[in-house]
Amino acid sequence: MISILGLSRRKVYSVPIKLQADIYLMPPKKYHTGPKRALIASGEIRLTTKSDTDNLIKGIKDGMSKIIWHDDAQIVELNVRKFYSEQPRAEVTIEWLEKYRIDTSYLMVRFMKSLN
């Protein structure tokens, strides 16, 4: 499932972009106990194994090219965080930078995609 919120029209932008991505992946079976689930929910247990952030964000950036922006080279600031979650997904926030603000001062986009 993909949903993009906050876009008032179909337009591909070509301005500098700040991208924030929070990526949530299923925890391994060893973390499916009550105490471990509580630590995951509080953010105390974080994903530090397989699927490095470079590979995870590459798919997201490539998937949004030609849809939200012309080229992912427009991304001048990038912050990626990985978490465990029982509901795998990616939450991406895009901000058009101050000097180049569009329409109503800025446009925030949340891109949610199941990461099965």
Side-chain angles (χ1 to χ4, degrees), residues 5-33:
L5 308 173
L7 288 177
S8 59
R9 61 186 179 275
R10 293 276 294 168
K11 181 178 178 180
V12 178
Y13 295 99
S14 59
V15 297
I17 295 167
K18 178 180 177 180
L19 185 70
Q20 162 70 43
D22 291 339
I23 300 171
Y24 298 86
L25 301 171
M26 278 296 279
K29 290 191 189 267
K30 69 180 182 178
Y31 291 150
H32 287 200
T33 65

Side-chain angles (χ1 to χ4, degrees), residues 29-44:
K29 290 191 189 267
K30 69 180 182 178
Y31 291 150
H32 287 200
T33 65
K36 297 285 188 184
R37 283 184 172 171
L39 292 171
I40 287 170
S42 70
E44 292 182 52

Side-chain angles (χ1 to χ4, degrees), residues 7-106:
L7 288 177
S8 59
R9 61 186 179 275
R10 293 276 294 168
K11 181 178 178 180
V12 178
Y13 295 99
S14 59
V15 297
I17 295 167
K18 178 180 177 180
L19 185 70
Q20 162 70 43
D22 291 339
I23 300 171
Y24 298 86
L25 301 171
M26 278 296 279
K29 290 191 189 267
K30 69 180 182 178
Y31 291 150
H32 287 200
T33 65
K36 297 285 188 184
R37 283 184 172 171
L39 292 171
I40 287 170
S42 70
E44 292 182 52
I45 296 179
R46 296 282 296 270
L47 183 64
T48 59
T49 57
K50 263 201 169 186
S51 300
D52 64 39
T53 54
D54 293 340
N55 292 334
L56 293 169
I57 196 65
K58 182 176 179 10
I60 292 169
K61 292 187 322 183
D62 290 347
M64 297 179 93
S65 287
K66 307 292 187 247
I67 296 171
I68 305 298
W69 52 68
H70 287 287
D71 188 87
D72 59 12
Q74 293 169 238
I75 299 168
V76 297
E77 288 185 44
L78 176 64
N79 184 28
V80 182
R81 303 183 303 175
K82 297 187 303 184
F83 300 94
Y84 283 125
S85 175
E86 296 293 322
Q87 300 170 345
R89 65 193 183 279
E91 295 179 1
V92 178
T93 302
I94 301 166
E95 184 176 338
W96 314 114
L97 294 184
E98 180 75 33
K99 184 177 176 183
Y100 301 94
R101 290 206 171 172
I102 299 167
D103 295 338
T104 61
S105 81
Y106 69 91

